[in-house]
Amino acid sequence: MKKISKKTKAYIDKLSLSIQEKHAHVRPLTASLQVNKWCNSKCEYCGIWKSPMMNPSLEDLTLAIDELSGLGVQMISLTGGEPFLHDKLPQIVEHMKAREVISSTMTNGLLLKPKYALPVLEAGLNSLCVSLDTVDPIAYKKIRGVPLSPILKGLKYISSIRREFPSFFVFSINCVISKVNIEHIPSLVEFCSELDISMGFQPLHRSFDSRHNPEELQFYEDDLPYLHKKIDDLIQMKQDGYRIDNNPAYLKGFPEFLVNKELPGGTVCSAGFTTISVDYKLDVRSCWPMKVVGNLHISKLKELWFSEEYDNKRASMLELNCPKCWLRCHTDYLSVQWLSDLLEKITRVKSNQPIIRHVKS
């Protein structure tokens, strides 16, 4: 691991103390803010698209941003639903910029057109992550329930204009690995390499809602040898220089999680200290599957963050007395490198320096 800065070491030392005492001695670095609850994709592994459209007011969302910024959050990821379905998304990003918070948004990519994308980029968006599981049209339709071609067109469009926006530092893909798309992973990596887009992977989480037949996406015990081979192939592509952001140790945990929902021995979840979630109703959670700690219409976020109830949620997460997930930022033994990379990225974005890229030769 590369040498870490004094600032990173100080945060990690306080994080270690927080974990030891099960009480926050740090402020969260990142947050997820749900800007709406509705989606124009129809994913097999998520049922949020069945919900009626619910867009919170701009006033509510700016209140949430103010509270998160005041707590010390450095980067907010806007989630949904589909954030681009909120007609005030440019104003939301502008407010984040005014509060000197790094802005990131997830999207399914269906609205990456000039009409929707340009106002958001002009508002100063720093990071855009497109959820894309495959570049095979048949597999994509089976997983997402919508055609692939608009997403590929949108990716190529954003790729062609991204250097026109100085504040737009990170353009990436997030892929959810399932039984339907795992055979197509190499072609997805090659596609992203051609467009110079970095990639991250996460395993399918069965906790997501679905009205269809998610069994088609699941792996079973007989699939373990095949899964191990495919993950080894993915790690080899990373070692060959493809822009795969995941730590190899994190990727190695995929097979057992995908089949048995088992986490590697010694796993410690630090997410209750490093990140925070706020939904479209301004309910606050220590993690999306956890119960609500409070609401920003009623309580100040600082009071909630340092409350006994929040500490109890952190303790449950540390003991894995929770729904369990395998997300790279949520494990203690990976968090040193993740935090180091994150803090470096925050410093570079805030000082208007380019993100260092490692491109395949």
Side-chain angles (χ1 to χ4, degrees), residues 219-232:
F219 293 95
Y220 299 96
E221 197 71 31
D222 291 346
D223 296 314
L224 268 174
Y226 170 76
L227 259 175
H228 280 289
K229 182 183 183 305
K230 288 298 181 182
I231 295 303
D232 286 344

Side-chain angles (χ1 to χ4, degrees), residues 327-338:
L327 299 173
R328 54 182 164 170
C329 56
H330 290 193
T331 53
D332 182 54
Y333 74 93
L334 295 181
S335 65
V336 173
Q337 185 61 60
W338 177 78

Side-chain angles (χ1 to χ4, degrees), residues 1 11 21 27 31 33 40-41 54 66 186 215 221 258 271 276 282 286 337 340 342 344 352:
M1 187 180 73
Y11 188 91
E21 297 186 354
R27 307 294 181 99
L33 175 59
N40 51 349
S41 190
M54 286 176 272
D66 290 344
E215 285 79 10
E221 197 71 31
L258 283 164
I276 190 169
L282 302 199
S286 55
Q337 185 61 60
S340 179
L342 175 64
E344 180 181 328
N352 221 25

Side-chain angles (χ1 to χ4, degrees), residues 271-341:
F273 301 99
T274 59
T275 188
I276 190 169
S277 302
V278 181
D279 72 13
Y280 71 100
K281 295 183 290 187
L282 302 199
D283 284 336
V284 177
R285 292 177 172 84
S286 55
C287 186
W288 283 120
M290 300 295 284
K291 290 184 178 179
V292 173
V293 179
N295 185 279
L296 296 183
H297 288 302
I298 300 169
S299 305
K300 291 292 186 181
L301 189 55
K302 286 182 182 178
E303 296 171 2
L304 296 175
W305 180 255
F306 292 107
S307 68
E308 182 179 354
E309 185 175 0
Y310 210 119
D311 277 346
N312 291 336
K313 295 291 189 297
R314 293 186 183 102
S316 294
M317 293 166 69
L318 286 170
E319 295 163 6
L320 300 182
N321 183 20
C322 60
K324 295 186 182 66
C325 66
W326 187 236
L327 299 173
R328 54 182 164 170
C329 56
H330 290 193
T331 53
D332 182 54
Y333 74 93
L334 295 181
S335 65
V336 173
Q337 185 61 60
W338 177 78
L339 286 167
S340 179
D341 291 344

